Amino acid sequence: MGGLLILPWLLLLAELGGAEAGGGTAMAMALRAEKTAAGAAPSKLFFKRDVTLTVSVTVGSPPQNLSMVLDTGSELSWLQCPGPAFRPNLSATYLAIPFANPACRDRTRDLPSPPFPNPSNRLCRVSVSYADGSSADGDLSSDVLRLGQAPAVRALFSCVQTPPSSPGAAGLLGLNQGSLSFISQMGAKKFSYCISAGSSDGVLLLGGVAPLVPLNYTPLVRISLPLPYFDRVAYSVQLEGIRVGAAVLPIPKAVLEPDHTGAGQTIVDSGTQFSFLLGPAYAVLKTEFLRQTRGLLAELGEPGFAFQGAFDTCFRLPAAAAPPREKLPTVALMLRGGAEVAVAAELLLYPAAGQLRRGGKEAVWCLTFGNSELVPLESYIIGHHHQQNLWVEYDLQLARLGFGPVRCDVAAQRLARLV
């Protein structure tokens, strides 16, 4: 992203300290190292991006330092306990919630499955399933959580013994719009993050600061009626079209909108790595991308191959060479209201680990848009890989999401020097 995009970020950062705008004092957090700022607001947290985004959190009394996955696609936060992650017996403020407690019934209303009594201890047992087939089953619990210099929040979460796979993390921090999400429990009206490319720190802001970069907004899509395939507490937006280079794909409007069952919603999800399109839209994107890269990229030519089971637009490249990123067409997801998520250069192709051809001379690289029907999913997903070098703002008060391109590594460095 060009230097012109950095300038407004730098100017606004100078005015950020202690700013408030409709949601209280802003708090900035890093999704990586456990760096916390001394002095005045905003406090900050930096995060690490790999297969997941992870943020440092302290839990309990005395505080235990833990790493949690940052997931805007989930409601219920969970921690692995007891065990090497969180040790409830060492926290004087830990509470397990009995099934008879009203919180077990009232606070779990947005979960897809109702709670049930744990037969071994009569505690409130909750279960959450994920699209990859994994699940998190645990007892509803409560303790004091704190991110950066933000005030401590007594929050409900699930204490699980056998967690889903989450490399390098002790648990998951749910940030969707459900009543049990951490954002809802802390009462935040706005939060935002910026995911850096590569191994640089990203930054997470909690609170109601004015936009730090110029943003284009798209309204959240809300459907009040319960539909079988519509997630009412997800951050759902309306996909209006897809552009490859200068070509807007000929995708019927009905393909991009939720149908009568709720299938076809578009979700912005920091807990998913790549992005997914429903089959009809994916097929059109695949055809056009192959057309525009003919002669530039050599197709893999193996109809049965799909990276991670869902990415089947793949290519063969010399093992020692990088893809011709600067020559690839940009793929833009066009959202209602004029906002868009533009995916270019190094974000378009991803190496399929361990996949070599011709005796190791060629590597396999795949387009980072997957076919939802191969997962299977009933929705469009915009994952965190395609949110790199974007300032993404979740404005809950005005029911909208904002997107603005910016060099996130520079933004995080400047914010780290604020206080």
Side-chain angles (χ1 to χ4, degrees):
M1 302 298 174
L4 291 177
L5 297 174
I6 304 174
L7 182 57
W9 164 259
L10 301 181
L11 293 176
L12 286 164
L13 277 180
E15 303 169 2
L16 180 59
E20 297 186 11
T25 302
M27 296 159 286
M29 275 123 332
L31 282 88
R32 183 178 154 108
E34 296 173 5
K35 304 173 184 175
T36 52
S43 64
K44 39 182 193 304
L45 280 175
F46 298 97
F47 61 83
K48 179 180 179 181
R49 183 191 67 82
D50 191 5
V51 176
T52 58
L53 304 177
T54 54
V55 64
S56 294
V57 183
T58 61
V59 183
S61 306
Q64 301 177 40
N65 295 318
L66 305 173
S67 178
M68 299 181 72
V69 172
L70 186 76
D71 189 359
T72 62
S74 294
E75 175 182 359
L76 183 63
S77 300
W78 58 261
L79 284 168
Q80 182 184 357
C81 54
F86 174 59
R87 294 181 170 85
N89 61 312
L90 299 183
S91 173
T93 48
Y94 174 81
L95 294 173
I97 308 299
F99 182 74
N101 190 306
C104 181
R105 177 186 65 256
D106 299 338
R107 298 300 300 277
T108 59
R109 61 183 181 272
D110 292 327
L111 296 181
S113 300
F116 56 95
N118 187 330
S120 64
N121 53 24
R122 303 302 295 176
L123 294 178
C124 182
R125 192 74 171 175
V126 287
S127 178
V128 179
S129 298
Y130 300 98
D132 62 0
S134 63
S135 62
D137 301 338
D139 295 330
L140 191 64
S141 306
S142 170
D143 209 332
V144 176
L145 277 71
R146 184 169 184 171
L147 281 73
Q149 297 295 335
V153 175
R154 174 164 283 281
L156 292 166
F157 58 91
S158 177
C159 210
V160 305
Q161 292 183 330
T162 306
S165 176
S166 55
L172 178 144
L173 195 66
L175 297 178
N176 73 6
Q177 300 180 82
S179 60
L180 271 178
S181 82
F182 185 73
I183 286 296
S184 297
Q185 292 191 68
M186 72 177 295
K189 300 300 183 183
K190 183 185 293 186
F191 70 97
S192 56
Y193 56 68
C194 201
I195 303 170
S196 298
S199 59
S200 300
D201 287 353
V203 63
L204 168 69
L205 285 175
L206 295 177
V209 297
L212 301 180
V213 294
L215 302 179
N216 290 318
Y217 289 95
T218 187
L220 289 171
V221 174
R222 289 177 171 167
I223 297 178
S224 57
L225 293 175
L227 299 176
Y229 294 113
F230 190 88
D231 186 345
R232 290 188 293 167
V233 293
Y235 295 105
S236 183
V237 296
Q238 182 55 57
L239 182 61
E240 296 275 299
I242 302 174
R243 190 177 64 248
V244 180
V248 176
L249 301 182
I251 303 174
K253 183 178 180 180
V255 172
L256 301 175
E257 295 182 339
D259 64 17
H260 66 283
T261 70
Q265 74 179 123
T266 299
I267 298 172
V268 180
D269 183 7
S270 70
T272 298
Q273 184 178 11
F274 299 116
S275 296
F276 294 86
L277 307 178
L278 291 187
Y282 175 78
V284 179
L285 170 65
K286 178 177 181 177
T287 298
E288 181 62 21
F289 189 83
L290 291 176
R291 187 188 72 81
Q292 292 194 29
T293 56
R294 191 172 297 123
L296 183 64
L297 297 172
E299 291 186 55
L300 180 60
E302 299 176 15
F305 179 82
F307 173 57
Q308 294 187 0
F311 302 84
D312 63 1
T313 305
C314 300
F315 308 91
R316 293 178 288 107
L317 289 97
R325 298 180 175 96
E326 67 281 354
K327 298 180 180 179
L328 298 176
T330 296
V331 176
L333 303 177
M334 304 157 62
L335 306 176
R336 180 171 293 169
E340 67 176 36
V341 176
V343 184
E346 67 273 8
L347 300 184
L348 281 169
L349 297 179
Y350 195 84
Q355 296 292 327
L356 297 175
R357 301 295 187 269
R358 295 186 58 199
K361 294 180 180 179
E362 291 181 338
V364 175
W365 292 69
C366 298
L367 184 67
T368 51
F369 288 89
N371 186 344
S372 290
E373 295 182 358
L374 296 178
V375 177
L377 291 169
E378 299 294 338
S379 57
Y380 296 89
I381 303 289
I382 303 176
H384 69 73
H385 183 79
H386 290 163
Q387 297 176 47
Q388 293 177 62
N389 283 335
L390 273 180
W391 193 267
V392 185
E393 179 186 272
Y394 295 74
D395 188 337
L396 307 181
Q397 190 166 25
L398 297 179
R400 63 183 186 173
L401 297 189
F403 299 88
V406 66
R407 276 281 303 276
C408 293
D409 57 341
V410 174
Q413 291 171 11
R414 296 293 299 182
L415 185 57
R417 302 189 192 108
L418 252 183
V419 291

